[in-house]
Each structure stands twice: as structure tokens, then as C-alpha cells.
Amino acid sequence: MPERALVIIPTYNERENIARMIDTVLAQDPRLEILVVDDGSPDGTGEIVEGIGQLNARVHLHRRARKLGLGTAYIAGFKWALARDYDYVFEMDADFSHDPAHLPEFLRAIESADLVLGSRYREGKVTVVNWPIDRLLLSYYANVYARFATRLPIWDTTGGFKCFRREVLKAIDLDAVRSNGYAFQVEMSFRAWKKGFRIVEIPIVFVDRTEGESKMSKSIVREAIWMVWRLRLAALRGEIR
């Protein structure tokens, strides 16, 4: 039976991007399907996806009543994927900051890995386009901080362009994942690492969104600051292993 891969794309007010994103993702490989997890977008994002899905069986929609956060959207998507026996499960943004052209590279890398991370800072080399310098420095040193706190042996701990083997998601207690913003990315990688899965980073070029609005907030930053230490303490107590 041919391998099946699902690209999970959380959305909130992404009508400017979503149709083009779906077309571009599906063009990369015939094994790819898409699940859009829409948090009740008032701009009609969900309706656009629903219409596309009626014409294309590779496009799926999971609606949620309101904005519940990035982490819970991915957890819902992971559970959806596991229930339908996908072999590989991607995380990906809707705004083209994650270039779909990298998807074939992920599919090649996952053949010899359990989790593939698209890295903006691999080996200290920055591959970010269009970010103001203050945001770039915040992101770069947030990764330095997260590596120090958790001891995670990866360069880009907060990146959200990923590919999991289904075995990784099955092994992680998804109901125990507590992070919901950028810390969610750290927590998922940390839990996979603690389980002994093979993690590989591949370089990507990250381009800041040109349409729609950023979802960054102060609460997301605060969560990331404290969550990394909670993860390390949980591991020391044997609560994450």
C-alpha cells in the first residue's frame, strides 16, 4: 500500500492565502493530503476550504467553534491523522512563511528519521527573510535559551515546519501536552527526543508573511519563557520519558 502523508495547516483568518497554499502543497507530491484546522475564522477561511474539499478528495477540513490556539489545533490534527492511519504527519503554516517547495526534501529525509525539523538556524546559519532585526534577534536567542534550558540537541527548537512518523505521535501522550503557542514546538520535539526517536534538521528558507496578520502575542512569549523549565523539571522527575 502506498505511503500517505497529511499536512496539517491551522488557520484563523487566512482567506488571502489558503486556496493558493492548498494548490501549491498538493502539487509537490501525489502522496500529500491536507487537513485544515480552522478556528472559526470570521473571514470565511473555513468556507473556502470546504468548497475546495468538495471538489478534491485530498483536502479535508476540521472546524472548531472559536480561536483555541496553535497547540490544540495541532493536537486535534494529530488525533485526526492517527485515526486514519497516515504514515507521515506534517505541521505547516498557512501564510507561505513555510515554503511548500521544501516538502519533497522532508519526504526524502523522513525515510531515515522519525522526526524532521525545518531549521532556520541550522549550525548557527540564519535563513530568515523579511524579518525586522529585533524580531530576528528575539527568535534566534529564544532558541539559544530553549536549548540551554532543555538540553535539546537541535538548532531550531521553536520552528513549526515539521514532519513526524506516525509512530512518534502514537508514542507521545498527546493529552499530556500543555503548551499552546511557540512553546508547543519545543515540547513536541522534547517529548520525541526523550522517547529516543531520531531527529533530523534540514535547512529551510523562512520568509515572513506578506498577507494577513501575525499571531504573535505577549502571552505566547511568556508561555515559552516558563515552559522550557517546566519541561526540564518534568523530565528530571520522570514525568516525561
Side-chain angles (χ1 to χ4, degrees):
M1 187 173 178
E3 294 168 332
R4 300 167 67 223
L6 184 71
V7 180
I8 301 172
I9 304 179
T11 55
Y12 184 77
N13 286 351
E14 294 287 356
R15 66 172 297 126
E16 298 97 337
N17 297 305
I18 195 60
R20 185 164 59 96
M21 173 57 73
I22 288 171
D23 288 344
T24 310
V25 167
L26 295 182
Q28 302 305 313
D29 192 285
R31 292 171 289 176
L32 293 172
E33 298 181 30
I34 293 174
L35 173 66
V36 173
V37 181
D38 186 66
D39 274 5
S41 297
D43 72 345
T45 299
E47 286 70 24
I48 293 171
V49 177
E50 184 176 36
I52 296 171
Q54 289 172 353
L55 301 173
N56 191 330
R58 294 167 67 192
V59 179
H60 314 280
L61 173 65
H62 178 66
R63 289 182 183 270
R64 304 201 300 174
R66 58 189 175 86
K67 193 174 183 182
L68 297 170
L70 181 75
T72 63
Y74 277 127
I75 294 296
F78 294 157
K79 291 179 177 180
W80 195 96
L82 290 174
R84 291 159 178 81
D85 296 325
Y86 287 90
D87 300 288
Y88 309 127
V89 183
F90 285 83
E91 295 182 25
M92 191 174 180
D93 288 350
D95 60 9
F96 284 92
S97 56
H98 297 153
D99 188 345
H102 288 300
L103 289 168
E105 299 165 36
F106 277 86
L107 288 168
R108 285 191 292 271
I110 198 67
E111 292 177 3
S112 57
D114 299 307
L115 169 58
V116 179
L117 310 178
S119 181
R120 301 162 294 179
Y121 308 118
R122 189 168 178 261
E123 298 176 355
K125 298 174 184 176
V126 177
T127 52
V128 176
V129 178
N130 289 345
W131 264 3
I133 190 65
D134 56 345
R135 184 167 182 189
L136 177 59
L137 290 173
L138 173 64
S139 175
Y140 184 87
Y141 285 106
N143 276 282
V144 173
Y145 172 79
R147 284 200 306 273
F148 172 77
T150 63
R151 301 298 191 263
L152 250 176
I154 59 178
W155 290 95
D156 192 348
T157 61
T158 61
F161 200 178
K162 297 181 173 183
C163 181
F164 296 86
R165 283 185 178 268
R166 67 173 284 108
E167 291 79 10
V168 179
L169 297 177
K170 284 178 66 177
I172 292 172
D173 182 357
L174 297 176
D175 291 327
V177 176
R178 292 288 174 262
S179 309
N180 203 24
Y182 287 106
F184 172 80
Q185 306 299 353
V186 182
E187 181 167 355
M188 287 299 297
S189 296
F190 185 80
R191 287 179 178 272
W193 175 55
K194 283 296 180 180
K195 292 284 185 183
F197 287 110
R198 299 164 296 169
I199 302 176
V200 170
E201 284 184 274
I202 62 172
I204 62 165
V205 175
F206 180 95
V207 181
D208 196 19
R209 66 163 60 235
T210 57
E211 301 288 347
E213 296 181 359
S214 171
K215 310 302 190 293
M216 174 69 80
S217 70
K218 290 181 180 178
S219 64
I220 287 173
V221 174
R222 285 195 298 269
E223 179 194 45
I225 289 170
W226 294 108
M227 184 56 73
V228 290
W229 293 105
R230 290 174 188 158
L231 290 173
R232 185 171 175 183
L233 287 172
L236 289 172
R237 293 171 182 156
E239 297 166 7
I240 298 178
R241 58 187 173 186

